[in-house]
Amino acid sequence: AGNVVAALNVLEAGAGGAEWVAWLDADAALMDFGSTDSIEAALARHASPETRLLISHGELIGPGSSSLFNSGFVLFRRHAWTLKLVERWLKELEMGTENDQEVLERLYRANELDLKKHLVVLPQG
């Protein structure tokens, strides 16, 4: 739950005025150091005005049963809706036995808070 708490703290503090906040797990690696900003390029290509989260694709890559997401890389848009989602995500984590990916996937599949409208799963590669 540490990454969800960290994201919540940054979002609650206003993210320093930034529009997007990036979360990277400690074992994540940045690999593209070309002349183009890869995060800006991903936002331009995949985010719409309705997008509040961009998350990396996952395929049973860790503990638990989540197969849709890899929460090791998430872009959070600073928005009241995002704050509400992250608060809900943390509450669900604290109440149950699922990991962060499992909780988010369950919320997504149930379309809680109209999540399917606001979350984009980035393609692999």
Side-chain angles (χ1 to χ4, degrees):
N3 59 342
V4 180
V5 171
L8 181 61
N9 290 341
V10 169
L11 291 166
E12 284 179 333
E19 182 179 6
W20 290 92
V21 174
W23 169 263
L24 293 166
D25 268 355
D27 62 351
L30 298 174
M31 304 215 16
D32 185 354
F33 295 102
S35 61
T36 303
D37 184 319
S38 297
I39 292 177
E40 283 185 12
L43 290 170
R45 185 171 182 186
H46 301 289
S48 74
E50 294 296 321
T51 303
R52 306 290 183 253
L53 277 89
L54 281 94
I55 189 166
S56 55
H57 185 293
E59 300 228 3
L60 292 175
I61 52 147
S65 62
S66 176
S67 62
L68 185 58
F69 311 123
N70 176 355
S71 63
F73 178 77
V74 183
L75 290 169
F76 298 90
R77 180 176 259 155
R78 185 175 46 91
H79 190 276
W81 181 93
T82 310
L83 186 57
K84 186 175 181 179
L85 171 71
V86 175
E87 288 169 344
R88 171 77 179 274
W89 188 6
L90 181 59
K91 180 180 176 185
E92 297 276 334
L93 270 170
E94 292 174 339
M95 292 184 347
T97 59
E98 298 167 300
N99 67 39
D100 58 327
Q101 292 175 182
E102 291 171 316
V103 170
L104 185 59
E105 184 169 329
R106 179 171 46 78
L107 294 172
Y108 179 82
R109 292 189 187 278
N111 202 25
E112 297 287 335
L113 302 173
D114 209 15
L115 187 53
K116 290 181 180 184
K117 177 180 176 183
H118 299 294
L119 184 143
V120 171
V121 180
L122 294 168
Q124 290 181 322

